[in-house]
Amino acid sequence: MKQQPIGFKDLLERHLPIGEVPSVARLRVQRALRSGIAVEVERAAMLDDLGRAADGDAAVESIYDATKPATMLTVANAMKERKRFDQALDWRRKYFEQAGQRDADALCDEAEILLEQKQLDAALERRAQAHLMAKGHARARTLSEQVHRQRGTVPELIAVLEKDYEKDPRSAPIRDQLVQLYGEVRRYDARKAIYVRMLEDPATKAAALEALIGVAERDNDRPRRIELLQQLLALK
């Protein structure tokens, strides 16, 4: 009978029933099986579960191929997944020493790792660099909010956004972020002022009327609600 080679993935599925693996480890194994990650990453997860984390790190680092610099990022991403954040940053640093300048996404990647390490000031610095490199970068905005929440400095973020909004009142991302944060800190009058300002722009007038109708409903202001509804119907 002809023998068929068995890959590590098949061997893992056959001899290690997923249901018998501890829940945290199970997630890692399942991710590896689903995504076809390199055998070394699958092996690293198993070594972790055997209490051999150093060997697991070595298995991941063996992915690096000196002829393929991009494999340094593969190692960095795997280290981040394993919550080896110092190693993840180190591998990213090595890569960009060869590749050159980081782009906004690369800076955001580093900021996310620093955020995991609770290095909030450093994370905010990377986020600021990403913002300067790509104005309005969505990940940079999200990271800024995450950092300020952890620092307990949301009012500081709001002050920055208010200045940006004054410079560009038609910026939907800035406006939407301010509206959300005003609601969280209960600055309802400031949020309402944004809705009123939106009435001046035909492109946002309908959305502004709908928002103000919601405000009138919460305030139990029936006459104002009817007035706003009539204005909204006139736009249809």
Side-chain angles (χ1 to χ4, degrees):
M1 182 175 179
K2 187 177 179 180
Q3 292 184 341
Q4 296 292 330
I6 299 176
F8 182 82
K9 176 178 174 180
D10 294 329
L11 193 64
L12 183 64
E13 290 175 314
R14 183 178 303 179
H15 295 288
L16 185 66
I18 292 297
E20 297 178 13
V21 179
S23 59
V24 175
R26 187 186 312 154
L27 292 174
R28 291 200 303 273
V29 174
Q30 286 175 328
R31 278 197 297 267
L33 292 175
R34 282 198 305 268
S35 59
I37 294 173
V39 168
E40 288 79 3
V41 177
E42 300 178 19
R43 183 154 53 94
M46 300 305 302
L47 289 167
D48 283 347
D49 300 330
L50 294 173
R52 297 167 57 188
D55 290 335
D57 288 343
V60 169
E61 290 178 341
S62 71
I63 296 170
Y64 169 58
D65 182 343
T67 67
K68 300 176 181 177
T71 55
M72 285 187 276
L73 284 182
T74 303
V75 174
N77 291 333
M79 287 296 186
K80 179 184 176 184
E81 181 71 24
R82 290 164 56 73
K83 299 190 182 301
R84 305 292 197 270
F85 299 122
D86 287 335
Q87 291 97 316
L89 286 171
D90 188 50
W91 278 97
R92 293 187 65 81
R93 178 184 56 77
K94 291 175 183 177
Y95 172 75
F96 286 107
E97 283 177 355
Q98 290 190 29
Q101 186 177 10
R102 294 163 295 184
D103 60 15
D105 278 316
L107 288 164
C108 286
D109 288 337
E110 291 184 20
E112 288 176 352
I113 295 172
L114 290 164
L115 190 59
E116 291 279 4
Q117 293 181 300
K118 308 300 182 185
Q119 296 188 41
L120 303 183
D121 290 339
L124 201 58
E125 180 184 349
R126 296 292 197 287
R127 175 266 163 197
Q129 292 171 349
H131 178 70
L132 286 174
M133 191 172 290
K135 294 287 187 181
H137 195 273
R139 286 181 68 194
R141 285 197 308 273
T142 300
L143 279 164
S144 179
E145 194 169 316
Q146 290 174 334
V147 172
H148 279 288
R149 287 186 191 283
Q150 289 200 28
R151 291 176 68 193
T153 54
V154 170
E156 180 181 315
L157 171 60
I158 290 175
V160 172
L161 290 171
E162 286 174 334
K163 291 180 180 178
D164 291 341
Y165 183 59
E166 286 304 314
K167 295 176 184 176
D168 186 10
R170 301 187 71 174
S171 171
I174 295 173
R175 182 182 64 233
D176 293 345
Q177 195 172 11
L178 266 178
V179 165
Q180 176 192 335
L181 293 173
Y182 281 150
E184 290 181 13
V185 299
R186 300 184 178 183
R187 289 182 57 185
Y188 302 125
D189 287 343
R191 184 174 64 180
K192 184 178 178 180
I194 287 183
Y195 297 150
V196 172
R197 189 169 186 173
M198 288 169 62
L199 292 172
E200 300 170 5
D201 185 350
T204 58
K205 187 172 183 178
L209 286 169
E210 290 176 359
L212 287 168
I213 288 168
V215 172
E217 288 177 346
R218 286 189 292 274
D219 292 343
N220 292 318
D221 189 342
R222 189 168 181 274
R224 178 60 174 162
R225 178 173 173 272
I226 292 173
E227 176 190 348
L228 292 166
L229 279 169
Q230 289 173 339
Q231 293 181 40
L232 183 60
L233 289 172
L235 294 178
K236 304 298 183 180

